[in-house]
Amino acid sequence: NGIDAHKAWKFSVGTRDVRAGVIDSGISNHQDLAANLDDGYDFYNENAITNDDSVGHGTSVAGIIGAVGNNGMGVSGVNQKVTIVPLQIDGIASEDCDFRSNVINNAIQYATNTWLGDEKISVLNFSISGFGIADAIKSHIEAFPGLFVWSAGNKGENVDLKENISEFNLDNLISVGAHDRSNERSVWNSIESSNYGNAVDVFAPGGGIPSGNQDCYTTSAES
């Protein structure tokens, strides 16, 4: 109930006309995602195989975004109807994203290019660290015509203290932190907790939420 999605679902459960790109580790085949999943691309291996999610992170993120609503069986994504496009970058990028910036930029550019056709990706999700320091991908985000949603990070840091944080105040970028059931900043263990600060635009449920085999996960590669 952290975002009161059940109230919003009384008006709409989403639409597959909205296409959301997930820049992550790929999206495994999963019964709760199949109806909402479209073809994408693996920019690391340069092929169209995107269901070989070896770490499960991208699959879990996709489930939060758009696992189908199935009458009480399993769980539901925030959008029960949406079109999810896997934009695979192979595994989880490093804290600064710089070592894989060319692959990430290729994924963002791919989504930007879709705005020239009928299957535009209007939202990009990037649930990987680097907000406030990943300068190498910033210009590509700024050039993307749609909305870019970026995790604020899980190091327990005040992002306002990052040297170039003001440069990440882009019109099309939303940074997202995590809160727990008590609406407090999420703390997962002794070394991992949600980043925070005025530069974090919104906080959403992320921690201590039994929605799968890990906190705030709806689907997994093992399910």
Side-chain angles (χ1 to χ4, degrees):
N1 294 338
I3 60 173
D4 287 332
H6 62 292
K7 295 180 181 178
W9 291 336
K10 293 179 181 178
F11 299 93
S12 175
V13 295
T15 172
R16 295 193 178 99
D17 291 336
V18 174
R19 297 171 61 81
V22 177
I23 303 176
D24 214 295
S25 58
I27 301 175
S28 297
N29 295 327
H30 194 287
Q31 61 182 1
D32 286 345
L33 293 173
N36 288 341
L37 197 61
D38 202 357
D39 296 332
Y41 195 78
D42 181 342
F43 297 89
Y44 184 80
N45 295 300
E46 297 186 347
N47 62 48
I49 301 172
T50 59
N51 62 357
D52 52 344
D53 180 5
S54 62
V55 297
H57 189 270
T59 305
S60 299
V61 168
I64 294 169
I65 294 171
V68 297
N70 50 7
N71 298 320
M73 297 178 61
V75 294
S76 174
V78 175
N79 306 279
Q80 297 177 20
K81 291 183 179 180
V82 65
T83 298
I84 301 172
V85 183
L87 306 177
Q88 188 169 353
I89 56 172
D90 190 61
I92 304 303
S94 71
E95 175 67 17
D96 62 10
C97 299
D98 286 341
F99 87 107
R100 200 172 294 162
S101 60
N102 61 322
V103 178
I104 298 169
N105 284 338
N106 287 342
I108 299 172
Q109 186 61 53
Y110 175 93
T112 299
N113 292 343
T114 65
W115 281 66
L116 302 175
D118 296 329
E119 296 186 339
K120 70 178 181 182
I121 295 172
S122 54
V123 181
L124 284 175
N125 187 89
F126 192 60
S127 293
I128 297 173
S129 295
F131 173 68
I133 54 177
D135 294 318
I137 67 175
K138 187 173 54 182
S139 62
H140 279 72
I141 295 172
E142 190 170 15
F144 175 59
L147 178 64
F148 193 94
V149 182
W150 197 343
S151 166
N154 301 328
K155 297 292 186 179
E157 298 174 341
N158 182 349
V159 297
D160 295 343
L161 301 179
K162 296 183 183 296
E163 182 178 2
N164 298 322
I165 189 62
S166 62
E167 298 179 10
F168 288 78
N169 184 23
L170 305 177
D171 291 340
N172 66 332
L173 190 156
I174 294 177
S175 59
V176 184
H179 68 74
D180 59 21
R181 286 182 177 273
S182 300
N183 289 326
E184 300 291 337
R185 183 173 64 89
S186 290
V187 177
W188 295 285
N189 52 51
S190 60
I191 60 174
E192 290 183 309
S193 60
S194 175
N195 284 357
Y196 60 96
N198 292 326
V200 179
D201 297 305
V202 297
F203 283 78
I209 301 167
S211 52
N213 70 332
Q214 299 188 46
D215 285 349
C216 206
Y217 280 13
T218 53
T219 55
S220 71
E222 293 79 21
S223 295

